[in-house]
Amino acid sequence: MPDSIKPNRAIYDLDMLRTVVMVADCGSFTTAAARLHSTQSTVTQKVRRLEEMVGQQLLDRSNREVHPTDAGETLLGYARHLLAVSSQLTEAMSGGVTVTVRIGLPDDFVAGKTMQALAAFNRRNPTVKLEITGGLSRDLMSTYDRGELDLVLIKQRRHSREANACQPERIEWIDSAQYPCFAQDPIPLVTFPPRGLYRDDMIGAVEAMGRSWRIAFTSSSLAGIQEAVANGLGVSLLPSRVVTGGHRVLGAEQGFKPIKVFEAAIFHRPTADPMVMALAEILIGILRAEAE
């Protein structure tokens, strides 16, 4: 049979596909080798064998961090899908869970309606295993970029990164209802750590009012921020969904202008499993309901 009409009989080894996906997600052969419990030379060899099989370079090694080439991006999409199907088949044949979905949520969504909706989904789909991780948006996004989460809902500045879906985030200035401290000079602020969401905007808004400020309390925990404000340690800026009875909302009367630069954004990969897509729709519905 002439070469031009020979069928393509390439069979893609799942181990090689898994290896190239891990390297691309980690941006490093060394890190990928550690995660795969292998040696760097073995990882390099598997990537080269796959590149020889497809006849194209899949990873750009010219910079300090490894990035997929255009051909690599194409292969990665199919590779992730094949690996997911392989995992589902293995679980189905074992009679256990058929799909595992790894979800990342900010702390202010790890409660209430979101958990109720996810739990209801799990009851309707008992063969779907949900692995839910809560944390700061920046950490969740980094974990997603490494390929360790399938679906994330984060808070970000509007349009800073293209998302599958997004909704403007309503945030409020809050003080303690029982022990207000807005009148103190300087104004004590309760914030997330440096580079944390809202922190720079809080400081900028207070300075724009001509007021001095000091950091009175810093925490990565949403519950810690809520309690610190409620007990009179300082003023903070938080999503309206987490304002409690122990808080007093501040506004134009105190000189605060609305801050409308944040959004809640949902991310998943184009080749995501249908169950990931279904869960994304649930999260989108929750965001839309909040906006009404």
Side-chain angles (χ1 to χ4, degrees), residues 1-7:
M1 181 183 294
D3 290 343
S4 60
I5 60 173
K6 281 183 180 179

Coordinates of all heavy atoms in Angstrom, one line a residue, residues 1-7:
M1 N 0.9 -1.2 0.0 CA 0.0 0.0 0.0 C 0.9 1.2 0.0 O 1.8 1.3 0.8 CB -0.9 0.0 1.2 CG -1.8 1.2 1.3 SD -2.8 1.2 2.9 CE -3.8 -0.2 2.6
P2 N 0.7 2.2 -0.9 CA 1.5 3.4 -0.9 C 1.4 4.2 0.4 O 0.4 4.2 1.1 CB 0.8 4.2 -2.1 CG 0.1 3.3 -2.9 CD -0.4 2.2 -2.0
D3 N 2.5 4.8 0.8 CA 2.6 5.5 2.0 C 1.5 6.6 2.1 O 0.9 6.8 3.2 CB 3.9 6.2 2.2 CG 5.0 5.2 2.5 OD1 4.7 4.1 2.8 OD2 6.2 5.6 2.3
S4 N 1.1 7.2 1.0 CA 0.1 8.3 1.0 C -1.3 7.9 1.5 O -2.1 8.7 1.9 CB 0.1 9.0 -0.3 OG -0.3 8.0 -1.3
I5 N -1.6 6.6 1.3 CA -2.9 6.1 1.7 C -2.9 5.1 2.8 O -3.9 4.5 3.1 CB -3.6 5.5 0.4 CG1 -2.9 4.3 -0.1 CG2 -3.9 6.6 -0.6 CD1 -3.6 3.6 -1.2
K6 N -1.7 4.9 3.4 CA -1.7 4.0 4.6 C -2.4 4.7 5.7 O -2.3 5.8 6.0 CB -0.2 3.8 5.0 CG 0.5 2.8 4.1 CD 1.9 2.6 4.7 CE 2.7 1.6 3.8 NZ 4.0 1.3 4.3
P7 N -3.3 3.9 6.5 CA -4.0 4.4 7.6 C -3.0 4.7 8.7 O -1.9 4.1 8.8 CB -4.9 3.3 8.0 CG -4.2 2.0 7.5 CD -3.5 2.4 6.2

